């Protein structure tokens, strides 16, 4: 029975690792697209996991991951934003910038 438990633990760890890689790639794609849409430069071409926890919702229990990323406006300075994913879906994205309002 202990061999079966060990196999189950290894399978669970393998699933978690693959799911984390997939979630990170999705988060990076979302950040790239959002930066491009706002004419910002995504620095380091990476996102960093800051927090991981379980979250309950209508769809059941999901992993909630908070990623941090760095970006620059016009290539000057370095600012941080964050992205929250619940499972493999986007929950929140924040650049911490004021909304741009065009005068008409």
């Amino acid at each position: 029975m202990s061999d079966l438990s060990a196999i189950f633990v290894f399978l669970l760890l393998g699933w978690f690792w693959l799911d984390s890689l997939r979630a990170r790639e999705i988060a990076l794609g979302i950040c790239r697209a959002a930066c491009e849409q706002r004419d910002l430069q995504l620095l380091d071409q990476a996102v960093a996991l800051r927090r991981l926890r379980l979250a309950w919702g209508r769809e059941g229990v999901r992993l909630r991951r908070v990623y941090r990323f760095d970006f620059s406006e016009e290539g000057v300075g370095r600012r941080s934003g964050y992205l929250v994913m619940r499972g493999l879906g986007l929950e929140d994205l924040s650049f911490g910038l004021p909304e741009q309002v065009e005068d008409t």
Side-chain angles (χ1 to χ4, degrees), residues 43-54:
L43 301 175
D44 305 326
Q45 298 300 310
V47 294
L49 182 66
R50 302 299 290 174
R51 193 173 314 143
L52 174 69
R53 69 177 180 98
L54 291 176

Side-chain angles (χ1 to χ4, degrees), residues 24-77:
R24 184 183 167 279
E25 287 300 317
I26 292 171
L28 184 57
I30 291 170
C31 287
R32 281 183 183 143
C35 283
E36 186 176 306
Q37 181 182 29
R38 291 168 177 81
D39 293 325
L40 300 172
Q41 181 181 6
L42 179 63
L43 301 175
D44 305 326
Q45 298 300 310
V47 294
L49 182 66
R50 302 299 290 174
R51 193 173 314 143
L52 174 69
R53 69 177 180 98
L54 291 176
W56 285 263
R58 287 178 290 160
E59 63 278 350
V61 178
R62 299 281 189 255
L63 287 174
R64 185 173 188 263
R65 296 173 173 97
V66 178
Y67 293 97
R68 186 184 64 81
F69 60 94
D70 293 331
F71 65 94
S72 176
E73 298 175 279
E74 300 174 4
V76 179

Side-chain angles (χ1 to χ4, degrees), residues 11-12 43 56 76 83 93 102 104:
L11 288 174
L12 187 63
L43 301 175
W56 285 263
V76 179
L83 173 111
L93 174 65
E102 294 182 20
T104 55

